[in-house]
Amino acid sequence: MKSTINKLFTLCLMSLVLFSCEKDEERLVLRPGAVPTLAATANSVELTAENKGEDAITLNWTAADYGIPAAVTYTLQFIAEGGDFESAREVEATPGMLSETLTVAELNTLAVQLGLAPNNEGTVQVRVQSSVAESISPTHSNVVSFKVTPFLDIIEYVSLWVPGSHQGWDPGKAPKVSSVKDDGVYEGYVNFPDNKTNFKLNPAPNWDNDFGGTSSGNKGTLVAKGSDLQVDGAGYYLLKANTNQLTWEAIKTSWGVIGDATGSWDNDQDMTYDATAQVWKATLQLSVGEIKFRANDKWDINFGDDNADASLEYGAANIKVAEAGRYEVVLNLANPGNYTYTLTKL
């Protein structure tokens, strides 16, 4: 009799445990219902530098339904048309909101990051991802497309113009070197296509004042209204000037891409200079990894991207390649202090 009672007690206890487990399982299982529905306030946006602080576009979506009350995180995922959402640029929405507004400056940065060329219309695609926990698969909305014409966001620094034999001695159309810190130290990149180039450095795009000076070995001193400065050897030069110490120097450069995404941190993939577009270009097969740009197969002059905003800084962080493929890589050093790049998947 006692044995029978013990067996009944054990059976009841096991039933209670199983019932409890079933209840716990029911509490943990989420049953997504409706996924978000996304809409945009515009299907075409033209961006301008003059309106950087203004609103460009607002994205609205309906709430996701997970079958229970839950704190949902919404993330906007952006790609260029034909891209892969696995390597999307992401913007996390404001908590508790079902909309996100991007300013002209924010959308312009995003478009450039996605590889859209400044002053050319391209298509951006976006979806909203909803999630409640790492262990639960996120849901995704419909994809919305809209046209964007980004601009090249150029900061106008204090500059010296570089008129000379390389461009017909016209200061109004001359390239520039700039002082980013406005401290009398200038630099910029200038293409000198001839074996010998004579030039001057002008504080304005006219002949009211200019610096000439002495030249020896592609460097020398600066003298107000002095003799022509001279560079020997055709090439693409990093041109430096110091109006405090009255010195100048020109360093010939050729550019390449290096990194594990190219296959090696030891060997550069050479780029070719396009004199018409004033950019360096290369078409490369890139793997998932990182790259940098460097001059003359050395680390003395190299660029990375600290803010992942397609703007380059000397010696900065490696540039991430999120998706393998064939890319057109473009390096733009034509605007002193505003050095940029694009990676466009072909």
Side-chain angles (χ1 to χ4, degrees), residues 4 50 156 173 175 224 255 278 286:
T4 302
E50 293 76 19
E156 294 293 341
K173 297 179 180 179
W255 286 87
Q278 299 182 53
L286 299 179

Side-chain angles (χ1 to χ4, degrees), residues 187 189 255 291-295 299 301-305 312-319 331 333 339:
E187 71 146 63
Y189 291 85
W255 286 87
I291 61 169
K292 294 191 85 170
F293 298 96
R294 70 175 187 171
W299 288 109
I301 306 172
N302 75 87
F303 284 111
D305 183 357
L312 294 168
E313 299 85 26
Y314 283 108
N318 297 342
I319 299 163
L331 172 65
L333 305 178
Y339 305 134

Side-chain angles (χ1 to χ4, degrees), residues 26-48:
E26 284 180 7
R27 285 201 300 270
L28 293 174
V29 174
L30 300 181
R31 297 181 175 84
V35 300
T37 299
L38 180 65
T41 56
N43 55 24
S44 181
V45 185
E46 185 170 355
L47 310 174
T48 63

Side-chain angles (χ1 to χ4, degrees), residues 108-130:
N108 190 72
T109 298
L110 186 64
V112 173
Q113 290 174 336
L114 294 175
L116 273 65
N119 304 316
N120 289 275
E121 187 179 70
T123 300
V124 171
Q125 295 181 312
V126 57
R127 69 183 185 183
V128 64
Q129 173 179 282
S130 65

Side-chain angles (χ1 to χ4, degrees), residues 56-76:
I57 193 169
T58 298
L59 298 161
N60 304 284
W61 57 92
T62 58
D65 177 13
Y66 283 87
I68 64 167
V72 181
T73 298
Y74 295 101
T75 304
L76 292 164

Side-chain angles (χ1 to χ4, degrees), residues 79-87 125 323 345:
I79 61 172
E81 186 177 35
D84 188 339
F85 278 106
E86 291 299 318
S87 56
Q125 295 181 312
E323 183 181 357
K345 193 174 182 183

Side-chain angles (χ1 to χ4, degrees), residues 260-261 286-290 321-325:
D260 56 6
L286 299 179
S287 59
V288 174
E290 298 177 331
V321 178
E323 183 181 357

Side-chain angles (χ1 to χ4, degrees), residues 197-199 212-222 227-232 237 247-251:
T197 300
N198 290 346
F199 67 97
T214 66
S215 305
S216 178
N218 292 344
K219 60 184 178 178
T221 61
L222 295 175
S227 302
D228 293 349
L229 306 174
Q230 188 174 96
V231 163
D232 293 323
Y237 284 85
T247 59
W248 72 275
E249 180 182 15
I251 303 169

